[in-house]
């Protein structure tokens, strides 16, 4: 009983001196609540137990909670993918893979065989008149027109009486001579140079012949578009400058859009690269065919088609 009275007096004395904090009302500074007078045992601190429970509880409870969260997450997650079945594609180097590859190459060879009909000289146009020759011919034509016009004016001025008759007669003679010098048959007697009109007509003729040859090569299927599929044997066919060419060939509009010499030269370069790819494709096909014959793969080796005997 004496101990209980002592504790009660100490608690009453501590509560008598409250501690003030700025911004808060007066309250005792963190003192534990008064213990009950009766009972010799001290109960456990409820505040501490509540705080520890809020902070996370015991380690066992935290582990159970993590396992529960993981189980809930596993319910929402997608099920693991099933094991992919073994690939049904044949192994590389097997008869089936070689036969499939040979079929693709044989189809490419059949589609692009028109590239062998390429006429280099027809598309290269070595007789194409250059710009300097055309400009020089244009200057000669302008000079001939000027001289012809001056002679005609002198002759007409003499008929109206502005110039003497002898000068008008000389102007008429000069007009006739200059006019006759413009005729191709007479001009070739003293000059071997072509006129401006002949050079322009030659350009048009070369362009027309080249466009006809391109139309013959393209056919109804588009040769450039089919040759672009041989990019595996020549990566140059996948160049950016050939993309527009391939698109026009795919839509069968290539021959109509080839209107300048630069277009024809670009098409010629593409066909030369296609010839290189075709040669590499043909060599690869023959090598694999010979390998199939050596291995004894009768289903892979290509056999020539029987020829029809003439009756």
């Amino acid at each position: 009983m004496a101990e209980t009275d002592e504790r009660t007096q100490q608690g009453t004395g501590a509560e008598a001196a409250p501690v003030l904090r700025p911004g808060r009302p007066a309250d005792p500074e963190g003192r534990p609540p008064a213990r009950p007078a009766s009972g010799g045992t001290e109960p456990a601190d409820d505040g501490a137990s509540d705080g520890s429970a809020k902070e996370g509880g015991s380690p066992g409870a935290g582990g159970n909670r993590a396992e529960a969260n993981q189980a809930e997450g596993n319910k929402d997650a997608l099920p693991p993918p099933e094991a992919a079945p073994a690939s049904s594609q044949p192994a590389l180097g097997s008869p089936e893979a070689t036969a499939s590859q040979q079929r693709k190459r044989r189809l490419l060879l059949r589609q692009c065989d028109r590239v062998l009909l390429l006429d280099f000289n027809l598309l290269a146009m070595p007789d194409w008149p250059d710009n300097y020759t055309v400009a020089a011919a244009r200057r000669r034509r302008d000079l001939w027109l000027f001289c012809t016009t001056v002679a005609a004016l002198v002759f007409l001025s003499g008929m109206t009486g502005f110039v003497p008759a002898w000068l008008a007669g000389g102007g008429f003679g000069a007009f006739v001579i200059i006019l006759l010098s413009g005729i191709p048959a007479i001009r070739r007697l003293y000059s071997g140079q072509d006129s401006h009109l002949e050079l322009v007509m030659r350009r048009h003729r070369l362009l027309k012949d080249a466009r006809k040859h391109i139309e013959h090569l393209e056919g109804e299927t588009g040769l450039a578009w089919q040759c672009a599929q041989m990019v595996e044997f020549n990566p140059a066919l996948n160049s950016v400058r050939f993309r527009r060419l391939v698109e026009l060939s795919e839509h069968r509009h290539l021959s109509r859009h080839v209107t300048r010499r630069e277009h024809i030269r670009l098409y010629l370069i593409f066909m030369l690269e296609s010839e290189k790819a075709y040669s590499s494709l043909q060599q690869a096909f023959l090598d694999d065919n010979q390998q199939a014959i050596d291995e004894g793969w009768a289903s892979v080796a290509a056999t020539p088609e029987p020829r029809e005997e003439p009756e």
Side-chain angles (χ1 to χ4, degrees):
M1 291 293 294
E3 257 181 73
T4 306
D5 294 340
E6 248 177 53
R7 291 176 183 176
T8 306
Q9 290 177 2
Q10 288 178 0
T12 307
E15 291 176 0
V19 179
L20 298 180
R21 297 182 182 179
R24 295 187 60 186
D27 55 351
E29 183 183 6
R31 300 289 295 180
R35 296 178 177 84
S38 61
T41 58
E42 298 179 0
D45 193 355
D46 296 340
S49 62
D50 293 344
S52 61
K54 290 180 181 179
E55 289 177 2
S58 62
N64 295 336
R65 184 177 303 173
E67 291 177 0
N69 293 338
Q70 185 176 4
E72 292 179 359
N74 292 339
K75 291 179 181 178
D76 298 336
L78 295 176
E82 298 180 359
S87 177
S88 59
Q89 297 181 356
L92 186 62
S94 62
E96 292 79 6
T98 306
S100 176
Q101 187 178 22
Q102 288 293 89
R103 282 194 298 269
K104 294 179 181 179
R105 290 177 177 177
R106 189 184 296 109
L107 181 60
L108 274 178
L109 288 173
R110 188 179 305 154
Q111 291 176 347
C112 305
D113 57 353
R114 296 180 67 87
V115 74
L116 302 177
L117 303 177
L118 175 67
D119 191 345
F120 178 82
N121 292 328
L122 195 57
L123 297 182
M125 294 182 290
D127 298 334
W128 180 269
D130 56 355
N131 295 332
Y132 176 78
T133 305
V134 175
R138 186 184 297 113
R139 286 195 298 268
R140 292 195 301 269
R141 182 202 61 183
D142 296 342
L143 181 61
W144 176 79
L145 289 175
F146 176 76
C147 295
T148 304
T149 304
V150 170
L153 289 176
V154 171
F155 172 68
L156 295 176
S157 299
M159 294 182 63
T160 57
F162 285 100
V163 296
W166 63 270
L167 188 58
F172 178 74
F175 172 76
V176 173
I177 293 174
I178 296 173
L179 187 63
L180 291 176
S181 65
I183 300 176
I186 299 177
R187 188 183 65 250
R188 291 191 182 93
L189 297 177
Y190 64 90
S191 176
Q193 297 178 344
D194 296 331
S195 63
H196 180 264
L197 180 61
E198 292 175 348
L199 295 177
V200 172
M201 293 300 294
R202 185 188 302 173
R203 281 188 171 185
H204 284 290
R205 178 175 53 83
L206 292 174
L207 280 175
K208 184 179 179 180
D209 295 343
R211 292 182 63 184
K212 283 185 177 180
H213 185 57
I214 291 175
E215 185 177 1
H216 172 69
L217 290 176
E218 287 294 311
E220 299 179 356
T221 55
L223 178 61
W225 172 61
Q226 292 177 344
C227 290
Q229 301 176 15
M230 297 188 296
V231 66
E232 177 185 357
F233 300 93
N234 190 359
L237 296 176
N238 199 23
S239 178
V240 179
R241 58 176 179 170
F242 296 142
R243 289 182 182 176
R244 180 60 178 168
L245 196 71
V246 174
E247 290 177 0
L248 291 175
S249 176
E250 182 180 1
H251 296 89
R252 317 297 188 268
H253 300 326
L254 182 59
S255 59
R256 289 185 294 178
H257 288 77
V258 176
T259 56
R260 301 176 59 183
R261 188 193 181 198
E262 291 78 9
H263 303 160
I264 297 176
R265 291 179 67 88
L266 181 64
Y267 184 82
L268 176 61
I269 295 173
F270 183 81
M271 286 294 104
L272 293 178
E273 297 294 342
S274 300
E275 278 188 350
K276 296 179 183 178
Y278 189 85
S279 300
S280 302
L281 172 62
Q282 190 175 22
Q283 187 63 38
F285 177 80
L286 295 177
D287 292 344
D288 288 350
N289 187 65
Q290 184 62 39
Q291 181 182 0
I293 295 175
D294 296 341
E295 295 290 340
W297 299 338
S299 59
V300 179
T303 56
E305 299 179 358
R307 296 183 178 181
E308 296 181 359
E309 298 181 357
E311 296 180 357

